[in-house]
Amino acid sequence: RKGACYSYEDNDFATVETKYGITYLTIPILIKAGTQFGKFKVHGIIGPYFGMGLGGKATTMGIEVPVQFKKEPQLEDGLFMKRFDFGFTIGIIPAYKLGPGDVSLDLRYNLGFLDTRNPYNEGDGYYSQCNRSIGISVGYTMTLEEIKNIGK
């Protein structure tokens, strides 16, 4: 889930805060290369990703509205975003041999290249918005050969 929080002063000089989160289906196409030092391994990953917005919610001044993906929105319908995203992923995966497999920590940074805001309101005050995210996961990996040899 990707999202943002921003605040601004309206014409009455009151601070308005908006928070929103969008759920994306993201498919990375990555190249992975690495090396090993005894029980320690380290891999680097790099490549493009493609994302598709599935939905989300935005909240402004306690009022919640849905995130919608429309080409010609009506202002009262909610927050409008472009459905598709494209960007670049880079990361590092250190791992340590523990038992039959490896314990790993996957650290990734995703940098979006496309403006995901729907430009229906371009003009004065329009700003572009690109997705950026950090991903962290912990895993335990075993090869099929390691799984076959567990009971032996």
Side-chain angles (χ1 to χ4, degrees), residues 4 12 15 20-21 25 36 40 44 47 50 53 65-66 78 80 92 98 100 114 116 120 131 135 144 146 150 152:
D12 298 325
T15 300
Y20 63 91
L25 172 63
Q36 184 169 348
F40 183 73
F50 302 90
V65 295
F80 305 98
I92 188 167
L98 186 64
L114 300 180
T116 55
Y120 73 92
N131 284 323
L144 290 175
E146 290 167 334
I150 287 178
K152 296 181 181 180

Side-chain angles (χ1 to χ4, degrees), residues 11 60 75 94 110 128 138 144:
N11 292 336
T60 301
L75 289 175
N110 298 309
S128 66
V138 176
L144 290 175

Side-chain angles (χ1 to χ4, degrees), residues 13-144:
F13 300 104
T15 300
V16 177
E17 183 177 89
T18 299
K19 294 180 182 181
Y20 63 91
I22 302 172
T23 302
Y24 280 89
L25 172 63
T26 303
I27 300 172
I29 301 173
L30 303 173
I31 295 171
K32 179 179 175 182
T35 189
Q36 184 169 348
F37 309 99
K39 290 187 171 190
F40 183 73
K41 297 178 186 176
V42 64
H43 293 95
I45 54 174
I46 193 167
Y49 75 82
F50 302 90
M52 183 175 80
L54 302 176
K57 295 180 183 177
T59 305
T60 301
M61 297 172 53
I63 299 171
E64 191 174 279
V65 295
V67 171
Q68 297 186 35
F69 306 100
K70 292 182 178 179
K71 290 186 179 183
E72 295 183 22
Q74 302 298 315
L75 289 175
E76 64 273 2
D77 289 341
L79 178 67
F80 305 98
M81 305 294 286
K82 293 179 184 173
R83 182 173 299 275
F84 296 101
D85 187 23
F86 170 75
F88 192 74
T89 300
I90 188 166
I92 188 167
I93 307 171
Y96 185 77
K97 183 77 169 166
L98 186 64
D102 297 326
V103 174
S104 63
L105 178 66
D106 187 331
L107 306 167
R108 297 181 185 198
Y109 179 71
N110 298 309
L111 174 63
F113 295 146
L114 300 180
D115 181 3
T116 55
R117 289 192 62 195
N118 194 322
Y120 73 92
N121 60 350
E122 274 191 49
D124 292 339
Y126 178 81
Y127 57 91
S128 66
Q129 177 176 300
C130 297
N131 284 323
R132 290 179 179 86
S133 63
I134 294 173
I136 301 171
S137 61
V138 176
Y140 188 79
T141 308
M142 292 189 301
T143 64
L144 290 175

